[in-house]
Amino acid sequence: MLSFALSSFSVVFVLFTFYFEATSIIHPLGKRQVMYILRVIWYPGQGFLYFIVRKQCWQYFFTHLKPLFIVAIVVYILAIPISLILILATGGMILTVLPSILQSCNFIINFINKSIILPKILHKLFDCIVHEHIKDQYGYQYNKLPRGVLNPYLPGFYGETILGRTIRTSIRLGGPIWWIMKLILCFLVNMIPIVGPLLVIIIRADASGFGKHKRYFHLKGYSAAQIHYVWVHRWGQYFAFGFVALLMESVPVMGYLFVFTNVIGAAYWAVDIEREQRRVT
């Protein structure tokens, strides 16, 4: 799986390099955008290195292991009778059924882990990294950063138009239906041996990358219109970040650690955005 993740990353890097050469000829602004995307894909690795050298980050990882272990045991126990039924239905072809069962169990465990167990812990971890950047300016503790503590400045945003509000409202109303359809699609696609996990990563990459910055938007105090503006104008960056992050998180066992290191990488990205905006303002 690790070699699969590395080869997939190499393919994406080559495609981005080709796109970089094409856009640099067509338009100089495209060259700058692709260069920024190529820089973004290294933040997950930066987060991993930071996690290794900073022991205060380890407590957040070990805190979530106990409930995660319990969930994993329950899921695999429930998968045993389903596996037996599938083995009997396929005439005892266990090698055909087992990979799909393991992939499905891993998908369910990851979903419960990210939806229920992790959010609060990851928020505190994100605040810890951001605090390293703002501790000289504010007197807050790193795990008690309030909403709007960062400068709410958003370059290029000058208010929401009627058309923009209509589009955003339509997306919000249809969000729950799309979320359920996407979840079912990812579950079914994930059962395809070998290529299934990669297809799921491609489907979820943009939303996953964008979700890593939800805490950042909270600390900035952004409105729904501002968050939608960021989504529209940085979609390519969030897709690139999310793709690399999900590749790392798909590695067996180590993937649970990479969930934390990717949040650290997202926090570092947010800190760099703050520094760039401060230079502009």
Side-chain angles (χ1 to χ4, degrees):
M1 189 66 184
L2 180 60
S3 60
F4 166 73
L6 292 175
S7 61
S8 301
F9 176 78
S10 301
V11 171
V12 173
F13 185 83
V14 171
L15 291 176
F16 270 127
T17 304
F18 175 78
Y19 181 58
F20 163 75
E21 295 296 336
T23 52
S24 64
I25 298 175
I26 297 174
H27 198 286
L29 185 61
K31 178 178 180 179
R32 181 170 32 174
Q33 177 72 2
V34 175
M35 283 296 294
Y36 196 85
I37 291 176
L38 291 176
R39 189 179 74 175
V40 162
I41 64 178
W42 298 113
Y43 281 117
Q46 185 177 356
F48 177 69
L49 295 177
Y50 184 90
F51 181 87
I52 292 177
V53 300
R54 301 302 292 267
K55 292 184 178 180
Q56 65 265 35
C57 296
W58 297 1
Q59 59 178 317
Y60 300 101
F61 175 72
F62 291 115
T63 299
H64 98 293
L65 287 182
K66 182 178 180 180
L68 177 63
F69 182 71
I70 295 175
V71 169
I73 292 177
V74 172
V75 171
Y76 281 115
I77 290 177
L78 293 177
I80 293 176
I82 299 177
S83 302
L84 294 177
I85 294 174
L86 291 177
I87 291 173
L88 294 175
T90 56
M93 299 179 64
I94 187 172
L95 295 179
T96 303
V97 175
L98 188 60
S100 298
I101 293 295
L102 293 177
Q103 290 176 11
S104 300
C105 290
N106 188 52
F107 179 86
I108 295 173
I109 294 171
N110 282 332
F111 176 77
I112 297 175
N113 187 35
K114 295 177 182 178
S115 301
I116 302 175
I117 302 175
L118 284 180
K120 187 176 181 179
I121 299 175
L122 295 182
H123 287 170
K124 292 183 177 181
L125 177 60
F126 192 97
D127 290 359
C128 178
I129 306 304
V130 173
H131 179 260
E132 292 293 324
H133 174 60
I134 68 171
K135 61 183 179 181
D136 296 332
Q137 305 170 30
Y138 306 95
Y140 301 110
Q141 298 180 13
Y142 67 86
N143 60 346
K144 294 183 179 180
L145 297 182
R147 174 181 172 83
V149 65
L150 301 179
N151 185 357
Y153 171 71
L154 179 59
F157 181 80
Y158 303 105
E160 187 177 34
T161 63
I162 296 178
L163 178 60
R165 180 177 300 178
T166 302
I167 295 175
R168 181 172 59 82
T169 303
S170 301
I171 295 175
R172 180 174 58 85
L173 293 176
I177 298 176
W178 169 243
W179 182 83
I180 295 175
M181 292 177 59
K182 190 175 182 179
L183 181 64
I184 296 174
L185 176 64
C186 289
F187 180 80
L188 295 176
V189 171
N190 191 73
M191 298 183 68
I192 303 175
I194 303 176
V195 298
L198 178 59
L199 295 176
V200 171
I201 288 175
I202 294 175
I203 295 172
R204 297 178 53 217
D206 53 351
S208 177
F210 189 69
K212 294 290 192 298
H213 263 181
K214 281 188 176 181
R215 184 62 179 175
Y216 175 54
F217 302 145
H218 176 83
L219 298 180
K220 294 283 283 186
Y222 279 168
S223 64
Q226 289 175 305
I227 294 175
H228 180 72
Y229 179 88
V230 173
W231 165 253
V232 171
H233 289 80
R234 296 180 186 169
W235 181 89
Q237 299 171 24
Y238 284 117
F239 178 87
F241 181 91
F243 186 88
V244 177
L246 287 176
L247 273 181
M248 295 173 64
E249 293 172 15
S250 65
V251 177
V253 183
M254 287 294 293
Y256 297 110
L257 173 63
F258 290 143
V259 170
F260 285 78
T261 62
N262 287 335
V263 170
I264 297 175
Y268 258 110
W269 183 11
V271 168
D272 286 345
I273 293 175
E274 287 297 297
R275 289 172 178 168
E276 292 178 2
Q277 292 183 357
R278 189 161 300 165
R279 285 197 298 265
V280 174
T281 57

